[in-house]
Amino acid sequence: MSTKRYRWARRFISSSLLALACLAPAALAARKKPEPAPPPTSLEEAELAQAKDPGVYLLLRPSPGALEVRSKGLTLETIPLQQVAFLRYHRLVGSEKGHSAELPLAFVVAEDADGSHRKVIAPEELRPYPGDDQQEEVGTTIKVPPNQGEPLPEPPPNYRIALQGGWKLEVTQTPPRTNWSSRLRFALNDGWARLKGEQPDESDLVVLAAEPENAKRIHHLFRAGMQILIDTGSRS
Amino acid sequence: MNVPLETPASTLPVEPAPPEAEAPARPRRLLKGLLVLLLGATTAVALAAGFCLSRGGWYLPLETRQVAAPADPDQDSRTDKIEKRLAALGPKGIYVVVDTYENHLRVYKNGELLRDARCSTGSGTVLKDPRTGKVWIFDTPLGEHEVQRKVKDPIWSKPDWAFIEEGYQPPPAGSKERFDDFSLGAYGLYLGDGYIIHGTVFQTLLGRRVTHGCIRLGDDDLEYVYKTVPLGSKVYLF
């Protein structure tokens, strides 16, 4: 009787051990999740990480004033800029935003630039396809989209694009003036707007001053998720 | 004889005081009033400005200093390695670059420009199916692509949007109305996801953003690209 009981116990233990032996490697493998890659510490590392993706990214060079359009490390186009400035918003009285005083290696575009300029075409109703043997109706008033030949509205020469991390990219034709009198005038207008109950934009800004044609060209490029690498002089 | 040198004042005829002596009192009062008013106004403006400034803020230039990496003695060799790896990712031999803003297609061989052709690219318009609410965005996709297939006399299998755009209900899949052996021109270079470099019957629209996402070329340029660009070549769209 006791032998039977032990046999049952032996079977239970051996089958448990067998199951454990089978499952253990899988469980261990599951526990060993691939560690996330450490954040890039140099522009080259950031670009290499980005260039593995087939998409287009931008490289901003503030000192010569240029925006390079790149993919896979290949420069596809260089857009000249008149000036590049990084501006931080400061409240004159009160608490500061808890931003780092340093620039990130890369910004990420948070929204499409041309979303507001897309034109939606949609026939109000559809009619059955006539087929080859049927004669096409004449005189029916179907809204056929004017997709052939009618260009979309021109993108604006001055605009702002939201970037991730509370920054905005402003493309403008006039380089930003940060002298004392301009700042004072801005602060007065800002405070007056707040007194009137408005909420002026206080995002930190990456300002690109560009010719109108170049501003439109830059506008055409932006897509949500696109990376803008910043080269502050470490590379030539 | 003593002659008095001076005539006593009392003996002189008294002349009435000139009227100007009393007159300055009025302008002075006026001036004082104006000054008080000006002071008051200045104080009020200063207070209002101060109040505005206490609520407002301004922009200050940020030093272009990036997040500092810890000092690494091997940084230079690491940078060289990374740049070599980056260069290895780029194209070799013949490749194509399409500028979707200027609408130019350029063929390069090892960085040397072989051909610059005018093309048409995606219009960026949005088509909405009124029945299903499905939406198509006619954009040329940016980034790196590859010539996956090259076809002479390509036949276009028309998708639903081609009918909806014209105001027709799409015919069933596989029906003969779906096939068009005319619109794509003499050659087609397929880039995947339905995007093709092909010819066009709308030659006058070359150089404009009017397509549904494909890249249209003129007849001569299309023939050149078909004959020059081999299968597997990289195509960069920006």
Side-chain angles (χ1 to χ4, degrees), chain A residues 45 54 72 86 88 90 103 118-119 121 123 127 129 136 145 147 149 152 190 203 213 217 220 230, chain B residues 57-60 62 65-66 78 99-102 123 126 128 130 139 144 164-165 167-169 177 208:
Chain A
E45 282 182 19
K72 293 275 177 182
F86 302 95
R88 286 200 68 202
H90 290 265
L103 278 174
R118 289 191 193 282
K119 192 164 102 185
I121 48 175
R127 53 180 169 164
Y129 190 74
E136 183 143 347
N147 197 30
L152 283 178
D190 191 58
S203 312
E213 192 56 29
R217 170 176 265 281
H220 179 73
I230 312 290
Chain B
W58 58 23
Y59 278 101
L60 291 176
L62 181 70
R65 182 168 50 112
Q66 284 179 323
R78 270 178 55 196
D99 179 345
T100 63
Y101 180 76
E102 296 279 1
S123 66
V126 178
K128 195 171 177 187
D139 261 339
E144 187 197 55
I164 291 163
E165 189 185 52
Y168 293 116
Q169 281 179 14
E177 290 88 2
R208 294 168 70 172

Side-chain angles (χ1 to χ4, degrees), chain A residues 115-137:
Chain A
S116 58
H117 294 272
R118 289 191 193 282
K119 192 164 102 185
V120 179
I121 48 175
E124 281 174 356
E125 55 186 88
L126 298 178
R127 53 180 169 164
Y129 190 74
D132 282 350
D133 45 343
Q134 270 176 274
Q135 193 70 30
E136 183 143 347
E137 300 162 52

Side-chain angles (χ1 to χ4, degrees), chain A residues 68-190:
Chain A
E68 289 182 7
V69 186
R70 291 182 155 227
S71 180
K72 293 275 177 182
L74 178 75
T75 303
L76 304 171
E77 177 76 4
T78 302
I79 303 169
L81 302 170
Q82 292 165 339
Q83 196 182 331
V84 178
F86 302 95
L87 302 177
R88 286 200 68 202
Y89 183 86
H90 290 265
R91 288 298 284 267
L92 295 181
V93 178
S95 59
E96 282 291 315
K97 291 181 289 181
H99 283 185
S100 162
E102 290 170 329
L103 278 174
L105 286 168
F107 290 105
V108 179
V109 177
E111 60 184 24
D112 277 359
D114 53 357
S116 58
H117 294 272
R118 289 191 193 282
K119 192 164 102 185
V120 179
I121 48 175
E124 281 174 356
E125 55 186 88
L126 298 178
R127 53 180 169 164
Y129 190 74
D132 282 350
D133 45 343
Q134 270 176 274
Q135 193 70 30
E136 183 143 347
E137 300 162 52
V138 180
T140 46
T141 53
I142 300 294
K143 270 199 173 177
V144 177
N147 197 30
Q148 300 290 342
E150 192 180 302
L152 283 178
E154 283 289 309
N158 297 296
Y159 51 91
R160 280 188 180 188
I161 306 279
L163 305 173
Q164 288 177 11
W167 287 76
K168 280 196 176 163
L169 187 135
E170 182 174 297
V171 182
T172 174
Q173 289 165 64
T174 46
R177 281 181 291 182
T178 52
N179 58 12
W180 200 85
S181 59
S182 305
R183 290 213 308 262
L184 188 68
R185 203 162 45 243
F186 180 88
L188 279 170
N189 286 334
D190 191 58

Side-chain angles (χ1 to χ4, degrees), chain B residues 30-48:
Chain B
L30 203 68
L31 202 69
K32 210 184 278 180
L34 274 173
L35 204 68
V36 168
L37 205 67
L38 196 71
L39 264 172
T42 312
T43 314
V45 167
L47 277 173

